[in-house]
Amino acid sequence: NAGVTQTPKFQVLKTGQSMTLQCAQDMNHEYMSWYRQDPGMGLRLIHYSVGAGITDQGEVPNGYNVSRSTTEDFPLRLLSAAPSQTSVYFCASSYRQGRGYTFGSGTRLTVV
Amino acid sequence: AQRVTQPEKLLSVFKGAPVELKCNYSYSGSPELFWYVQYSRQRLQLLLRHISRESIKGFTADLNKGETSFHLKKPFAQEEDSAMYYCALVSGTYKYIFGTGTRLKVLA
């Protein structure tokens, strides 16, 4: 099992550009989430999904879109990048409540 | 409001000294709590979950419902324990609420 795979690992964007952060898991996990990690703020939930076709907003959803067309994939789209979106993004998945998340290796995004 | 509080941003201890990383939570209901560890520039890894009451790498954590705490403890710190530690709470079915993290530095 590859676990949770995130691509790319690093990305630099110009303000206003759009891009998609990819996340895939091969563990048949129902639950998938996107977090951003910022110094002094811990991890903040952006969007999450409880299964294919079902997504919902987390704590900081503005400026991001998600979709879940398959169980395996949960891409995060930045619609129009802003410097405030400079962060490390983590995708995570979980089989069910109480098992804990499996995290991807992260995407370090810089918006200039 | 559901919240996880880690009051210390940085905790420095000497090798061989005991370690206690504090975690307090606010949650109406029966909480499910976890500790995650992140070594330098790596992904977060699940360290402990309170349901299993296990000991990983010498770390233990006990849920104290009276004090609403889930402190992480280790009797003798090792240099390889230096990392960022996050306490997390499961809210509802699967939404995790993370604390802001504590950086542990173990000094030689």
Side-chain angles (χ1 to χ4, degrees), chain B residues 59-98:
Chain B
F59 285 98
T60 59
D62 289 317
L63 177 61
N64 186 324
K65 291 186 178 181
E67 296 183 357
T68 60
S69 68
F70 188 56
H71 302 329
L72 184 68
K73 299 177 183 179
K74 185 170 183 177
F76 307 104
Q78 299 173 307
E79 288 183 74
E80 54 264 34
D81 295 329
S82 294
M84 195 76 176
Y85 291 81
Y86 290 96
C87 183
L89 167 73
V90 174
S91 169
T93 305
Y94 52 85
K95 283 172 64 175
Y96 287 73
I97 298 171
F98 285 84

Side-chain angles (χ1 to χ4, degrees), chain A residues 37 48 50 97-98 101 103, chain B residues 32 36 38 43 86 92 94 96:
Chain A
Q37 183 183 41
Y48 61 93
V50 300
Q97 184 184 16
Y101 267 139
F103 279 85
Chain B
E32 294 198 47
Y36 286 84
Q38 186 181 28
R43 71 183 71 197
Y86 290 96
Y94 52 85
Y96 287 73

Side-chain angles (χ1 to χ4, degrees), chain A residues 4 10 31 35 37 40-43 45 48 50 57 90 94 96-101 103-105 108, chain B residues 9 32 34 36 38 41-46 49 51 84 86 90 92-101:
Chain A
V4 179
F10 302 95
Y31 309 135
Y35 288 86
Q37 183 183 41
M41 305 190 76
L43 281 86
L45 180 64
Y48 61 93
V50 300
Q57 296 181 351
F90 285 100
S94 174
R96 61 168 185 245
Q97 184 184 16
R99 289 293 182 135
Y101 267 139
F103 279 85
S105 57
R108 190 171 293 272
Chain B
K9 288 188 176 181
E32 294 198 47
F34 302 82
Y36 286 84
Q38 186 181 28
R41 293 193 170 236
Q42 294 185 23
R43 71 183 71 197
L44 280 82
Q45 303 172 38
L46 179 63
R49 47 190 175 179
I51 288 177
M84 195 76 176
Y86 290 96
V90 174
T93 305
Y94 52 85
K95 283 172 64 175
Y96 287 73
I97 298 171
F98 285 84
T100 52

Side-chain angles (χ1 to χ4, degrees), chain B residues 11 20 37 66 98 108:
Chain B
L11 181 65
E20 182 178 70
V37 59
F98 285 84

